[in-house]
Amino acid sequence: GQSLEQPSEVTAVEGAIVQINCTYQTSGFYGLSWYQQHDGGAPTFLSYNALDGLEETGRFSSFLSRSDSYGYLLLQELQMKDSASYFCAVKDGSARQLTFGSGTQLTVLP
Amino acid sequence: DVKVTQSSRYLVKRTGEKVFLECVQDMDHENMFWYRQDPGLGLRLIYFSYDVKMKEKGDIPEGYSVSREKKERFSLILESASTNQTSMYLCASRDREVYEQYFGPGTRLTVT
């Protein structure tokens, strides 16, 4: 089976940098994804890491360390609109489905 | 733009009713998924389908069934709704070799 752990809540101020961590246990790791979900909205894809290292997409970056079974999502220059829930998800190489973490509620304060 | 649509945004049903939740995607994706989302529990997979007429149980299939007669449509069925099935239900689709999953807007189901 697979399990993921991420903090339930993170609070930061506008303009700051925040890091949301995700640790996972899986029998056959294939890749780590991140999704964003605003209140009342559908989850939307942010990033995917299959290899170790940092992937940057604008203000958002995602990092993976396969040896540590650990990844994080880094949000820079925080804006109020970044207030949302963020989910990490893993795909087992042998499986067709993703397993999601329980989500981190990010609150950005003015 | 990939579009995943769900038949209802809000639904109220009575205990014991048979409930159908419909999901349609327009990108010819092989894989389709049904999740339920409850506070503090994240997204839990109910069932998924990787081809027409094919289905596999997810983590919490009890009390649910699914149907996929056409590639674009994936239905979730609650045979006899119960109050503990009150939840947000999310449908998603994904192409076979791709990791990006597309979600529908969700159906908030209340069973009274």
Side-chain angles (χ1 to χ4, degrees):
Chain A
Q2 295 151 81
S3 67
L4 298 96
E5 282 193 26
Q6 52 182 129
S8 58
E9 295 178 348
V10 172
T11 301
V13 296
E14 235 179 335
I17 299 172
V18 73
Q19 179 174 310
I20 300 174
N21 299 320
C22 175
T23 57
Y24 59 86
Q25 288 185 322
T26 179
S27 52
F29 181 78
Y30 193 76
L32 182 70
S33 304
W34 288 93
Y35 287 77
Q36 178 192 59
Q37 185 181 30
H38 286 100
D39 267 354
T44 56
F45 173 81
L46 288 177
S47 68
Y48 174 77
N49 295 68
L51 303 176
D52 286 357
L54 192 68
E55 297 276 347
E56 298 182 59
T57 309
R59 294 188 296 114
F60 292 8
S61 304
S62 56
F63 171 83
L64 175 66
S65 168
R66 294 171 68 112
S67 60
D68 295 322
S69 297
Y70 163 75
Y72 65 72
L73 181 69
L74 190 73
L75 297 85
Q76 302 182 73
E77 301 171 20
L78 279 175
Q79 301 175 9
M80 299 294 289
K81 67 178 181 180
D82 298 329
S83 290
S85 291
Y86 293 84
F87 295 88
C88 57
V90 294
K91 183 179 180 302
D92 184 321
S94 64
R96 294 182 174 89
Q97 72 272 31
L98 299 177
T99 299
F100 285 83
S102 55
T104 299
Q105 176 68 50
L106 170 64
T107 302
V108 180
L109 302 174
Chain B
D1 255 4
V2 175
K3 187 174 280 187
V4 180
T5 57
Q6 296 183 226
S7 50
S8 306
R9 286 284 275 157
Y10 300 93
L11 208 52
V12 180
K13 295 291 181 181
R14 294 197 178 275
T15 302
E17 278 193 81
K18 191 168 186 175
V19 182
F20 293 86
L21 302 182
E22 305 284 340
C23 175
V24 177
Q25 52 95 1
D26 65 358
M27 285 301 291
D28 204 37
H29 287 169
E30 281 89 0
N31 299 303
M32 295 188 75
F33 308 86
W34 274 106
Y35 297 88
R36 65 176 283 177
Q37 184 174 27
D38 302 288
L41 297 178
L43 294 157
R44 293 183 292 167
L45 183 65
I46 304 171
Y47 266 98
F48 67 100
S49 168
Y50 53 90
D51 203 348
V52 175
K53 297 191 185 294
M54 305 302 289
K55 60 186 178 184
E56 282 195 29
K57 292 179 181 179
D59 300 318
I60 50 164
E62 296 78 20
Y64 304 94
S65 62
V66 290
S67 171
R68 193 168 182 198
E69 297 295 318
K70 293 185 178 181
K71 192 174 186 180
E72 68 270 19
R73 187 178 298 269
F74 191 35
S75 303
L76 179 70
I77 303 151
L78 287 67
E79 296 289 343
S80 177
S82 63
T83 54
N84 63 12
Q85 293 179 309
T86 290
S87 187
M88 170 67 83
Y89 289 88
L90 289 160
C91 175
S93 74
R94 192 181 81 235
D95 209 352
R96 187 186 307 167
E97 300 301 332
V98 173
Y99 41 80
E100 182 174 352
Q101 200 154 290
Y102 297 87
F103 286 84
T107 296
R108 185 164 293 283
L109 172 67
T110 302
V111 182
T112 61

